[in-house]
């Protein structure tokens, strides 16, 4: 590991190399433990939003007629480019699977409040009674957290109990039974409790 990449661990361990190494490996392990809950939330969100929009616009390729903003159109173009590079067909199912989590989260932003959320997307979250703004804030937090994990960034400095709670809560808005089923595979609480001592 490069010196700049290891520096946050060494700083947190107040220069103690052994403690910094223990913190580094714990960070790797707890990051991996978040994978099942992030996996479930990302799939539930993507599939739920896609299903809602396909029904709303009465077509699987709803993006052809939906009022997407330029950044959304750009993300669709990027997904098409990836499929072309891989020699994959550009079926609606393949395109949906290649759209980033950022794309899906953006459909819940204020930019789409009147065009997508009010008429359609609120139906995806059958168990949510709050404001779109608060839901979008939660999902933006999850997106940034997920990106830290997927890019191998430190997460040891975060309030991991809160991150975990947010993921499970939003998953519960989408598919409560999946949130319940996930508990059997969820090692986050166990690993958070095993954080190396300070």
């Amino acid at each position: 590991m490069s010196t700049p990449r290891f520096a946050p661990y060494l700083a947190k361990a107040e220069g103690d190399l052994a403690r910094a190494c223990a913190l580094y490996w714990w960070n790797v392990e707890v990051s991996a433990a978040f994978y099942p809950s992030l996996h479930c939330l990302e799939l539930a969100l993507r599939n739920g939003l896609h299903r809602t929009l396909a029904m709303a616009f009465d077509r699987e390729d709803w993006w052809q007629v939906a009022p997407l903003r330029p950044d959304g159109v750009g993300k669709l173009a990027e997904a098409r480019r990836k499929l072309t590079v891989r020699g994959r067909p550009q079926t609606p199912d393949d395109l949906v699977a290649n759209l980033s989590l950022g794309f899906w989260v953006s459909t819940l932003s204020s930019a789409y409040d009147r065009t997508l959320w009010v008429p359609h997307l609120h139906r995806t979250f059958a168990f949510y009674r709050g404001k779109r703004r608060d839901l979008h804030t939660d999902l933006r937090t999850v997106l940034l957290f997920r990106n830290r994990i997927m890019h191998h960034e430190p997460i040891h400095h975060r309030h991991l109990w809160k991150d975990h709670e947010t993921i499970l809560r939003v998953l519960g808005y989408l598919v409560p039974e999946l949130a319940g089923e996930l508990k059997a595979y969820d090692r986050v609480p166990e690993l958070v409790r095993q954080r190396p001592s300070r």
Side-chain angles (χ1 to χ4, degrees):
M1 177 177 268
S2 68
T3 301
R5 301 292 293 168
F6 193 61
Y9 301 97
L10 203 53
K12 193 71 174 176
E14 299 173 340
D16 185 314
L17 184 59
R19 283 173 53 207
C21 287
L23 182 60
Y24 171 78
W25 286 111
W26 175 82
N27 192 89
V28 170
E29 201 171 5
V30 78
S31 294
F34 271 99
Y35 182 81
S37 57
L38 288 168
H39 171 92
C40 289
L41 177 56
E42 189 163 347
L43 289 180
L45 181 69
R46 177 182 83 194
N47 293 342
L49 292 173
H50 169 60
R51 194 167 36 249
T52 299
L53 290 166
M55 289 175 59
F57 292 99
D58 199 28
R59 55 190 294 172
E60 286 294 304
D61 61 347
W62 50 266
W63 49 86
Q64 300 285 4
V65 293
L68 293 179
R69 298 179 59 83
D71 60 324
V73 173
K75 287 177 178 147
L76 275 160
E78 177 61 18
R80 283 191 185 99
R81 188 193 66 74
K82 286 180 183 176
L83 289 170
T84 300
V85 167
R86 294 181 198 145
R88 299 280 309 271
Q90 293 190 14
T91 65
D93 186 59
D94 286 314
L95 196 54
V96 165
N98 278 275
L99 285 166
S100 67
L101 179 59
F103 171 85
W104 298 107
V105 172
S106 75
T107 64
L108 302 171
S109 71
S110 60
Y112 291 111
D113 189 65
R114 294 289 164 205
T115 56
L116 295 181
W117 173 260
V118 171
H120 312 298
L121 292 183
H122 70 277
R123 294 186 185 100
T124 308
F125 302 88
F127 301 92
Y128 181 64
R129 299 292 174 261
K131 296 178 180 175
R132 179 210 47 78
R133 177 183 63 227
D134 297 332
L135 180 62
H136 183 248
T137 297
D138 279 347
L139 282 164
R140 283 281 306 155
T141 299
V142 170
L143 172 64
L144 296 172
F145 179 61
R146 175 240 186 239
N147 287 348
R148 288 196 71 80
I149 288 174
M150 296 306 171
H151 293 113
H152 318 297
E153 296 285 338
I155 62 168
H156 61 80
H157 61 286
R158 294 181 61 93
H159 191 309
L160 297 178
W161 286 111
K162 188 172 181 181
D163 289 320
H164 185 246
E165 190 274 331
T166 300
I167 293 166
L168 294 183
R169 182 165 32 82
V170 176
L171 180 59
Y173 299 151
L174 290 157
V175 192
E177 58 273 22
L178 182 57
E181 188 176 332
L182 176 64
K183 288 180 183 175
Y185 305 95
D186 188 2
R187 295 187 58 230
V188 170
E190 170 195 346
L191 283 164
V192 169
R193 285 191 289 268
Q194 291 175 9
R195 181 188 174 107
S197 64
R198 300 177 187 180

